[in-house]
Each structure stands twice: as C-alpha cells, then as structure tokens.
C-alpha cells in the first residue's frame, strides 16, 4: 500500500471537478475550498479513497452561502423570537429582492436629483396611522426608545411607573436601556398600583417626559390600577407610549393590545413600536407622533447610527401597503379551516403508516404581545421521537412537545407550506 499522504490530490485538482466549479459560482470559493480540505483530510488519514474526495466535498456543501436556514414554525407561537419573529409576506420578499441591487431609495428618477430617503414608506405609515403628524423609522424598538432619550431626555428625568419596568427578553431591561441612553429614571407608584398624582408629584423643572410602557410579555392582575392615557395626557410634559407590538390600528381579536392610532388619539405625544411583531414586517422601530418631537429625533446626530437600510424600507412598505402578512393571517386563521387542513394532512400521513392524530391545541402571540391570550388552534399529534428528527430534517420543522406527544400546530404554518410540512413528516417517519 502506498502512503495515503503521498496519494492525496491537491486542492486545486479536486476543485477542477465541474460540480465544484459550479458550486464556487453559487457559494463562493471559501466554503467550497473548506469542504474540499475536509475531504482531503479524510484521504490523508486513509479513511477515504482519493477518487472519492470530490464526491465527499460535493455532499458536504452547504445549501446556501449563509448559515441561516429556513424552518417551519409549528410551535403555535406566532411571533417566535428564536425563529425570527415574523415571516415576511411574498410581496415583502419580492420588494426586498428588488431593492437588493441599486435602487432609487434616495433618488428622484424624474428630476435626477437626491430625494428624501424612504419617503414612500414614511407616507404609507402616516396614511395607516391617521393621528401621526410625522413618522420616523429606526433599527428596532429598542433603538426608537434610545433615540427618544438621546433627542428629548438626555440628562433629564423620565417618569415611569414601577408597574412597567420591563425586561424584554435575553436579559434586556427597558429601564436600563433608558438610563444607558442618558435619562435619569424617576420611578413612581408601586408594582400593582400607580395614580395620576404619583406622576404629577414627580414632575419638576428637569422632567423631559412621561413614559408609558406596554407590559407586552406579562400581566399584573388583581388589586391594580393605573391612570388612563387620557389622564396622563393632562400632565404638563409629553407622554411617550411604547406600545411594543406594532399594531397600527385596533385588532378585534386582541382587544387589550394597544395600537398606534388609538394611542395617539388617546393623547400620547409619541408612540414607539416594533416592526416585526404583530405588524408582521421586518425588524424595525417605528416612531409616530407630534411633528416637533419626531423631527427632533430624525435630526439628532445619532439618528444616522440607527437608520435602517434599503431592504428594511422595502419590506416595511410592502408590509404596510401590500397583502396581509403571514403574522396577521396566522392570528386571524379560522379554527374550522385549520381543522380541515389538519384532517387532510393526517389522512395522507395515516395512509403512509404514520401514528398521527388531530388534536385541539392553543396558540399564543408570543414575545410580540397579548400575554395570557390563548387562540384556539388545531395540531397534528405525533410520537415524541418525531420532535428531534423533524428539527434535524433537510427542512427543519420546530414543533412543541406536550404530554408525551410532538405537536405540530397548524396556526403558525402558512397554508402554502402544507406540502413541505407533509414531506418533512414523511421523511421523518422513515427515521423513527
Ligand atoms: C419587544 C418590545 C421592545 C423591544 O423591541 P425590539 O423591536 O425588539 O427592539 C420594547 N418594548 C416593548 C414593550 C416590547 O414589547
């Protein structure tokens, strides 16, 4: 036997394989070279014959140049932060794709001169929230809150109820964000009860604003009270309302969830919200409100550090102007239709010998808002062993394990993804 180290081909020789030349076009040289070197390590160690190196490299190539993978969200949690919150509508995806090259994001094609960046999306948002004199868009809601402090409350007091000192998730706390941005926090009231007089007593010459924060991921119930927004609006300083979820107008299915239009009508001077929660768009921070305040934010030097790119502007405009985003469709899907889809899928799976049942389930909005609200839903119930196999599949499916079964909740699966879900379960069935 010859020494496998001597018989090992050179990287360039393997890269001459037509399949790998094509892969370099698609994935770039670095990922393809890495796959080839891993295959050649196997050859060098004698575990792989030299002629099989290209085959192994081809088999090990990633599907795309980015490691982020498409997954099916069968958890029943509509705005699932770990799964990227909202899925964009096909119209928003097309808009992102169109904007990905050179675009007229800051250019007036008719006049051939510079134009206001993102003017169209700002007017779409203004049209959707009638009380908004002005709109500004930043990177996310946390950035909207930071910019609010930079522009309106740097070194000054922000009055907040102790019932609204929120930890958003992953250890991020809004009160710490406000102080890190330069505000002096003035906490008033108690966890469960805060009165208008608590706010009024705290307001002095150094007060910049009152901030109301929507408790979007918890509920305080029982012996509670808080002044209404209209009452807060009678105070001498502007009220900034962080509504969290990003509903632009009321959503009948979520009567307790605040929305931008009602918040402005109710007396808020400014509203901040996320773009990728219940609005169903891209990650963004939306700021609506009084023109004088919003303009101070938009003109602040740090606004440039928080500005969004053309892809976000494109997706946001298509979300606001275009067809219903998947998040809204999931929220409003009727249980009858979910059950019909589940029965159809289950019938095909049962024919293929899969141990499947159709069960009632409960969906939630998730990190996006409406804490405590359970939406009736329908799920496919499979043996628990499916959970891990489905996550490891070519198109990973993330379900939830409950009472010893793996549940695939159909509310968070778009109907056009049913065939993909079916195929994923059928391939998992071969491995369980
Ligand atoms: C989610 C949330 C935030 C943070 O929004 P991001 O867009 O994730 O930065 C801030 N405030 C409230 C009330 C929220 O629910």
């Amino acid at each position: 036997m010859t020494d496998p180290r001597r018989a090992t081909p050179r990287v360039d020789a393997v890269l001459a394989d037509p399949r790998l030349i094509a892969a370099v076009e698609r994935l770039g040289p670095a990922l393809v070279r890495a796959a080839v070197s891993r295959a050649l390590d196997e050859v060098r160690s004698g575990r792989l014959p030299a002629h099989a190196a290209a085959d192994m490299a081809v088999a090990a190539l990633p599907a795309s140049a980015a490691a982020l993978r498409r997954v099916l969200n069968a958890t029943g949690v509509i705005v699932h932060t770990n799964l990227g919150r909202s899925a964009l509508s096909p119209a928003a995806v097309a808009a992102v794709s169109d904007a990905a090259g050179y675009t007229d994001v800051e250019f007036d094609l008719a006049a051939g001169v510079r134009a206001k960046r993102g003017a169209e999306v700002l007017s779409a948002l203004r049209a959707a929230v009638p009380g908004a004199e002005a709109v500004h868009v930043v990177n996310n809601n946390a950035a909207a809150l930071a910019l609010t402090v930079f522009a309106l409350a740097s070194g000054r007091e922000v009055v907040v109820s102790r019932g609204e000192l929120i930890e958003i998730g992953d250890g991020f706390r809004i009160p710490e964000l406000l102080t890190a941005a330069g505000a002096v926090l003035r906490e008033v009231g108690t966890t469960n009860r805060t009165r208008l007089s608590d706010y009024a007593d705290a307001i002095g010459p150094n007060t910049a604003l009152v901030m109301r924060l929507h408790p979007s991921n918890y509920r305080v119930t029982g012996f509670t009270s808080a002044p209404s927004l209209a009452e807060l609006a009678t105070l001498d300083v502007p009220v900034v309302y962080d509504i969290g979820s990003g509903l632009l107008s009321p959503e009948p299915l979520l009567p307790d969830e605040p929305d931008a239009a009602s918040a402005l009508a109710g007396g808020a001077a400014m509203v901040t919200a996320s773009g990728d929660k219940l609005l169903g768009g891209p990650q963004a921070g939306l700021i609506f409100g009084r023109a004088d305040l919003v303009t101070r934010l938009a003109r602040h030097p740090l606004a440039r550090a928080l500005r969004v790119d053309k892809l976000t502007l494109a997706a946001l405009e298509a979300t606001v102007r275009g067809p219903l985003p998947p998040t809204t469709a999931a929220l409003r899907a009727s249980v009858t239709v979910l059950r019909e889809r589940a029965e159809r899928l289950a019938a095909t799976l049962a024919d293929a010998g899969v141990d499947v049942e159709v069960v009632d389930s409960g969906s939630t909005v998730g990190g996006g808002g409406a804490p405590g609200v359970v939406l009736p839903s329908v799920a496919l119930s499979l043996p628990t062993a499916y959970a891990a196999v489905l996550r490891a599949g070519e198109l990973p499916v993330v379900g939830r394990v409950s009472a010893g079964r793996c549940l695939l909740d159909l509310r968070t699966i778009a109907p056009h993804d049913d065939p993909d879900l079916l195929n994923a379960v059928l391939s998992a069935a071969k491995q369980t």
Side-chain angles (χ1 to χ4, degrees), residues 85 140-142 145 166 168 174 214 216 242 244 274 276-277 284 367:
R85 286 196 179 160
N140 55 18
N141 194 7
L145 292 170
I166 302 170
I168 319 169
I174 293 183
H214 176 54
S216 52
D242 170 12
S274 296
D276 55 353
K277 292 182 176 173

Side-chain angles (χ1 to χ4, degrees), residues 83-99:
L83 301 181
R85 286 196 179 160
S86 281
L88 295 180
S89 69
V93 172
V96 168
S97 171
D98 286 346

Side-chain angles (χ1 to χ4, degrees), residues 79-252:
V79 180
H80 197 303
T81 298
N82 303 151
L83 301 181
R85 286 196 179 160
S86 281
L88 295 180
S89 69
V93 172
V96 168
S97 171
D98 286 346
Y102 291 122
T103 102
D104 61 348
V105 63
E106 256 178 52
F107 189 70
D108 181 334
L109 284 170
V113 295
R114 174 165 208 247
K116 184 175 158 68
R117 184 181 177 84
E120 285 299 317
V121 67
L122 296 181
S123 74
L125 284 164
R126 236 188 350 260
V129 181
E133 291 172 11
V135 181
H136 184 63
V137 179
V138 290
N139 194 42
N140 55 18
N141 194 7
L145 292 170
L147 187 57
T148 300
V149 172
F150 295 146
L152 307 179
S154 184
R156 300 181 62 204
E157 286 185 2
V158 171
V159 184
V160 183
S161 163
R162 291 197 172 88
E164 300 173 4
L165 300 173
I166 302 170
E167 177 166 317
I168 319 169
D170 199 21
F172 285 100
R173 294 174 167 171
I174 293 183
E176 291 173 359
L177 186 156
L178 300 176
T179 50
V184 178
L185 216 61
R186 185 70 193 269
E187 298 173 16
V188 297
T190 61
T191 307
N192 55 329
R193 289 174 76 86
T194 304
R195 299 186 222 337
L196 184 62
S197 59
D198 294 322
Y199 287 94
D201 292 348
I203 290 174
N206 198 32
T207 308
L209 45 93
V210 163
M211 192 164 277
R212 166 151 281 187
L213 299 157
H214 176 54
S216 52
N217 53 10
Y218 65 99
R219 282 200 306 189
V220 179
T221 57
F223 185 52
T224 62
S225 79
S228 69
L229 191 58
E231 288 174 302
L232 288 182
T234 64
L235 298 166
D236 286 338
V237 294
V239 178
V240 174
Y241 190 178
D242 170 12
I243 61 168
S245 78
L247 287 178
L248 302 184
S249 50
E251 167 57 58

Side-chain angles (χ1 to χ4, degrees), residues 248-304:
L248 302 184
S249 50
E251 167 57 58
L253 287 170
L254 304 174
D256 295 332
E257 199 57 23
D259 64 276
S262 307
L264 292 174
M270 227 172 67
V271 170
T272 73
S274 296
D276 55 353
K277 292 182 176 173
L278 285 171
L279 181 62
Q283 179 185 304
L286 313 177
I287 302 160
F288 304 91
R290 257 169 50 189
D292 60 326
L293 300 178
V294 176
T295 306
R296 276 166 69 189
L297 267 64
R299 299 231 172 105
H300 189 276
L302 281 170
R304 178 63 183 235

